[in-house]
Amino acid sequence: MTRTVTALFRDFYLSTCEASVTAILDDGGIEFDQTCFYAASGGQPGDTGFLEREDGSRILIADTRHGATKDIIVHIPADGQPTPSVGEKLVLHIDWPRRYRLMRMHTACHLLSVVCPFPITGASVGEEESRVDFDMSETIDKDQVTAALMKLVEENHPVYVQWITDEELADNPGIVKSKNVRPPMGLGRVSLVCIGENSSVDSQPCGGTHVSETQEVGAIHIAKIEKKGKENRRFRIRFGAPENRTSV
């Protein structure tokens, strides 16, 4: 197994890169020496896209996941695709419109955790709708949450990544908002997604992809707040303005 250099963590807007095949797995998964594809993790789906061969032909990629360890990225071809050779050089292209929507949505989820400062019990990032579950019993109006979210979006705070060591995270457990899932450790460092100058709005461990300023999130709203137990509330975030002002 060869460690994959994840070029995307130097630039979330990197949509293409050149890479050499380092391994072909038994299930057809492809490993490269580097990649701009994001592997599914933390509620965000893996990237899709295609690999461009020297002759211009394409190998469609249906999913991206981690391999035996977090520093191995495996690209999963769609059914019926040709298999490249180990050592072959290709140009990797992600499905950028899909990735960008996921970036906007993931940042929106972080903003929601600012508006609702409760422990997170689950989350899932989607292209059209995302959900975040909170350990909370309070009743809250979804239109008020939407207004608070849009205020943060329109203030156009910068969004950026800082790195801390595993030891620094262990010494500051309070920065972890997730109640049930701990950030991946063991690689020596952990990424913090920071919002606002000097992290004035938020700072939390996250390995997902994000936009560079909150204004890029665009119009979002809370479509529904569902009661999932005595002390659990599920918030559903969607793009666009709310269709009505009735609380759910």
Side-chain angles (χ1 to χ4, degrees):
M1 295 181 293
T2 303
R3 176 179 179 272
T4 311
V5 176
T6 47
L8 70 92
F9 286 110
R10 297 194 296 269
D11 180 6
F12 289 147
Y13 292 79
L14 184 66
S15 63
T16 184
C17 72
E18 294 184 351
S20 297
V21 178
T22 57
I24 303 296
L25 306 184
D26 291 342
D27 63 0
I30 306 169
E31 295 179 6
F32 292 94
D33 57 351
Q34 70 168 356
T35 187
C36 55
F37 279 60
Y38 176 79
S41 182
Q44 180 174 330
D47 277 331
T48 60
F50 67 91
L51 315 176
E52 182 181 358
R53 311 183 83 171
E54 190 174 296
D55 63 3
S57 62
R58 298 181 175 186
I59 301 171
L60 300 182
I61 298 299
D63 194 13
T64 309
R65 58 174 170 77
H66 289 286
T69 60
K70 281 286 186 179
D71 55 359
I72 303 295
I73 308 298
V74 181
H75 308 71
I76 310 300
D79 292 341
Q81 296 299 295
T83 302
S85 303
V86 172
E88 183 175 346
K89 293 183 178 180
L90 301 97
V91 180
L92 284 57
H93 300 264
I94 66 170
D95 180 341
W96 172 249
R98 176 179 181 271
R99 157 74 83 76
Y100 189 55
R101 290 182 72 84
L102 292 170
M103 288 167 60
R104 292 167 57 204
M105 268 294 196
H106 203 152
T107 303
C109 291
H110 281 235
L111 295 179
L112 178 58
S113 74
V114 174
V115 174
C116 298
F118 301 94
I120 297 171
T121 57
S124 178
V125 181
E127 297 174 61
E128 304 298 333
E129 178 184 279
S130 295
R131 66 166 177 82
V132 182
D133 297 347
F134 293 100
D135 182 0
M136 59 181 288
S137 57
E138 289 80 354
T139 299
I140 191 167
D141 182 84
K142 67 185 179 70
D143 292 337
Q144 292 179 348
V145 177
T146 293
L149 282 172
M150 286 308 303
K151 183 176 184 294
L152 290 172
V153 169
E154 292 163 358
E155 287 172 347
N156 203 25
H157 298 284
V159 183
Y160 54 96
V161 171
Q162 290 184 334
W163 294 89
I164 61 173
T165 64
D166 288 355
E167 291 75 17
E168 288 174 317
L169 178 60
D171 291 340
N172 296 277
I175 64 176
V176 180
K177 294 187 177 184
S178 175
K179 184 177 181 179
N180 302 324
V181 180
R182 308 302 295 176
M185 299 175 66
L187 299 179
R189 64 176 189 168
V190 177
S191 61
L192 291 181
V193 173
C194 305
I195 303 176
E197 296 291 345
N198 299 314
S199 305
S200 58
V201 176
D202 191 38
S203 176
Q204 60 179 294
C206 178
T209 62
H210 296 270
V211 294
S212 64
E213 52 189 17
T214 59
Q215 196 173 66
E216 288 185 64
V217 170
I220 52 173
H221 67 280
I222 300 300
K224 185 181 294 186
I225 301 175
E226 302 168 308
K227 186 175 182 180
K228 296 291 184 179
K230 184 178 180 180
E231 296 185 353
N232 195 59
R233 298 293 183 273
R234 173 166 296 174
F235 290 65
R236 294 191 180 277
I237 314 173
R238 293 177 185 167
F239 284 125
E243 296 178 0
N244 58 63
R245 296 293 177 182
T246 302
S247 297
V248 175

